[in-house]
Amino acid sequence: MTTAGTDARAPSQAPATILLVDDQPGRLLSYRAILDPLGERLIEARSGEEALGMLMENDCALILLDVNMPGMDGFETASLIHQHPRYEKTPIIFVTAVNVSDMDRLRGYKLGAVDYVMVPVIPEIMRSKVSVLVELYRKRRELQSANERLARANEDLRVEKARELEVLNESLRAANVALAQRNIELQAQIAERERVQAHLLEHDRRKDQFLATLAHELRNPLASLANAVNVMKLGGNSGPDLQDAMDRQLGLLVRLIDDLLDIARISQDKLVLRPASTTLDAVLRSAVESIAPMLQATGHALEMHVPDVEIAFDADRERLSQVFANLISNAAKYSDPGQPVRVDTERDGEHVLVHVADGGIGLAPEQVEAIFEPFAQVDTSIERARGGLGIGLTLVRRLVEMHGGSVTASSPGLGHGSCFTVRLKMRSTPALPEAVPPPVPIAMPRRVLVIDDNCDSADTLAMMLEMLGHEAQRIYDPHSAEQAVEGFVPDVVFLDIGMPGISGYDVARKLRASPLGEQLTLVAVTGWGQPEDRRRTAEAGFDHHLVKPPEIEAICRILGGLPPCGSRVR
């Protein structure tokens, strides 16, 4: 066996392997001589068995096979070759030296022969047939290689697309999860907005109801005061009974306005407590005193059950008195006339519980907690118009919580009364004795100037001062204050704060800077009474701060506490 030399051509042009099978060496030599010019790789076998062995070791493009060989002839060899899957399509050219019948040709074609070459061999014909089959082999190999590359490219494309699809699916899954989460959040936001909207609608409804109630509550005492004024105009009895009625209605108006201001201050965190040592007995006594006229007018008996042992607090007595006054008046308001209101106390460790109970209209289960909301009222029917602005219990809860306590409501049901329980922490040490306010000193006659842009307020205050024995003048224009002081030379100036054009603070500073400024006692008269308001008036140069409407006792204390005439030193 011999082979042609190696070739450096491209793989698609590399020499093809041609298997030459013949039992006669001379023919093999002639085949080689004929085919060498083609430049292909030639391998030889001298029998069918050897040819089969050569095929196991080589990938042949073509087999040149002698038909008449001893032992295994060409037909048998071709049959065995094409039975192998690797070579079932390998082209075979039969070489024969005898005439071949049509039957033999048909048999050869069935065994995979593609052509016949007769001996003696014509070189050009053999080379032509071999070169055509080799070229077909190369084209088939190129096609196979292209198919393999295409298959690899398709597989790479499939893998890449599968990876891209997986990435896309993962992105879609993540997007779906995010969308689901967002939908949950949106549903929660929608639910929250619906809840807030319902709350706002309810708040607006309560606000409208409150404004209507406020108008009603203000008209009641105003009507009484107007009737009393009309009686006086008609020359009727203006004795103590009429004066007491007017005083009660004025107190009711002041209390309504104070409750409104307190709610506003609490909502803005501007309400400041002034805690001091006090007792439960003192707190309850003060509360009962403030609402005694109302209880007497409605015929409600007050049953008090307070322990004999003194219970001490560190608390703002005025504010706690306001809490229990609201609770007791509320109990009386929502009970039929003549029904008693009961106040019970009990100790619970470091705390004391105060129960205010009535046998009135009671509360439904859904009202027990809602009753403490602003502007909430349990009974708004005209037939049972009981008064109130719907802010008293809101004020009660906030004041109790500011004292570190709690307040709860309970009721067996509608028509069976209610009970409000206030829980407060007691002091561990006894309360200090409360200071007894000093008696109101007798005031010497003074020269008093009243400055207020509200003519009625200025006139009535000046008239009251004159009835107290003082010489009073009033002006309504705050810009004339310096001229009035210079001409009248007062000892005391009662000065309104909220005036158009110039505030009472600015007027006070100007008066302090005037030649008579050191001798003046300046009294602020304003509707604001919080510590911050009192600080501002003090910084502006005021000596005293009175909240409208000023009480006559407070005015007398200020005037009675002045130094002798001519001895004032700042």
Side-chain angles (χ1 to χ4, degrees), residues 367-413:
Q367 294 174 326
V368 169
E369 185 63 26
I371 195 64
F372 292 102
E373 294 295 323
F375 315 133
Q377 290 184 321
V378 298
D379 184 10
T380 58
S381 63
I382 296 176
E383 298 82 19
R384 301 194 61 145
R386 302 175 183 272
L389 301 178
I391 59 177
L393 292 178
T394 304
L395 189 59
V396 164
R397 167 171 280 186
R398 297 299 297 273
L399 288 174
V400 171
E401 289 175 347
M402 290 177 69
H403 280 87
S406 63
V407 59
T408 56
S410 61
S411 174

Side-chain angles (χ1 to χ4, degrees), residues 447 449 480-490 511 514-516 520:
R447 298 168 66 86
L449 177 64
S480 304
E482 292 178 88
Q483 181 179 357
V485 167
E486 183 178 351
F488 182 55
V489 191
L511 293 181
S514 69
L516 298 176
L520 296 175

Side-chain angles (χ1 to χ4, degrees), residues 142-171:
E142 290 179 3
L143 180 60
Q144 180 181 358
S145 177
N147 287 336
E148 291 175 354
R149 291 195 301 273
L150 181 60
R152 287 195 299 272
N154 285 336
E155 179 62 19
D156 292 342
L157 182 61
R158 185 192 68 78
V159 172
E160 177 65 19
K161 292 300 181 184
R163 187 187 67 80
E164 292 178 357
L165 183 60
E166 179 62 26
V167 172
L168 180 60
N169 287 337
E170 183 62 29
S171 299

Side-chain angles (χ1 to χ4, degrees), residues 450 457-467 470 472-474:
V450 178
S457 294
D459 292 341
T460 54
L461 178 56
M463 291 170 60
M464 183 174 62
L465 290 168
E466 289 172 347
M467 295 178 70
H470 305 286
Q473 283 193 5
R474 58 272 208 184

